[in-house]
Amino acid sequence: MFGLLRLVMRDRSQLRENETLVEYIPKSLTEPLNWGEIFPHSAPIEIDLGCGDGAFLMAMAHSHPKHNFLGIERLLGRVRKVCRKVAREDLKNARVLRIEVAYAISNLLPAESITAFHLLFPDPWPKRRHHRRRAFTTKFLACIHRSLIAGGLFHVATDHADYFHQIQCVIDATDTFVVSVEQHDFPLTTFEQKFLNRGLSIQRLLLRKASPVK
């Protein structure tokens, strides 16, 4: 727990005052987040899990001003970059939380409070001995389901075929989500643009929260 506190409270001296306001530092790392403390206006919440340089987060915040967007990212340099971008654009509906994604979804997100999650190009850990480090597991999916509102969206994308197969297997083993064929014009992430420029195939899934069959 103290390690997490040190991660969250790490030096912010390189950020200006308006940039520090973009990063939300929770008062507690054991209590669910209070959305009223994070965003100035009540609105549907969408979360970018591992928001990277913030390209997707900011594009979504621009195009959906009636939604609030929280980016979760553990790397300090990336968080600083996103804070600067969001502050420069004066986006009131975009904030960043610096913490491990797995810890956040397991411990900090209020139940049935999220409209949509976006998990875009997570680290595939391609070596077999590292597969246990992959984010997408049965427990991870259960936490996503718990946090989503009824009918909430879980948007997943990867360029890694083996990881995509694992994701499909995890989904097939549960009855808590249904695969949606709806069309969305999502903005590109920086990673996605690089993959497309290299001619790589992008695998994408849109999942809707469903009540498990009794």
Side-chain angles (χ1 to χ4, degrees), residues 33 35 43-47 108-117 146-150 209:
L33 298 177
W35 299 121
I45 305 288
E46 300 195 33
I47 295 187
L108 299 183
L109 302 184
E112 300 182 344
S113 67
I114 311 301
T115 296
F117 282 101
R146 178 189 61 81
S147 300
L148 281 172
I149 63 172
K209 178 178 177 176

Side-chain angles (χ1 to χ4, degrees), residues 65-98:
K66 294 184 179 181
H67 282 208
N68 288 327
F69 294 87
L70 178 67
I72 300 179
E73 176 59 57
R74 70 178 180 85
L75 296 179
L76 179 61
R78 291 179 178 178
V79 169
R80 285 176 175 165
K81 182 179 293 186
V82 178
C83 286
R84 292 189 179 103
K85 290 180 177 179
V86 171
R88 187 165 58 243
E89 298 291 332
D90 196 28
L91 290 170
K92 304 301 186 185
N93 63 332
R95 300 292 299 275
V96 185
L97 174 64
R98 179 162 33 111

Side-chain angles (χ1 to χ4, degrees), residues 119-135:
L119 179 66
L120 307 177
F121 307 96
D123 194 329
W125 294 103
K127 295 182 179 179
R128 183 172 295 276
R129 68 177 182 273
H130 293 156
H131 283 188
R132 60 184 175 80
R133 301 181 185 178
R134 289 176 172 178

Side-chain angles (χ1 to χ4, degrees), residues 177-196:
F177 285 91
V178 294
V179 177
S180 174
V181 295
E182 63 198 85
Q183 298 296 312
H184 284 269
D185 186 21
F186 289 118
L188 298 180
T189 71
T190 301
F191 279 123
E192 185 171 3
Q193 186 62 66
K194 289 179 180 179
F195 296 147
L196 292 173

Side-chain angles (χ1 to χ4, degrees), residues 22-40:
V22 176
E23 182 186 356
Y24 176 70
I25 297 181
K27 296 176 182 177
S28 169
L29 289 177
T30 59
E31 298 294 327
L33 298 177
N34 182 337
W35 299 121
E37 294 179 354
I38 301 176
F39 296 102

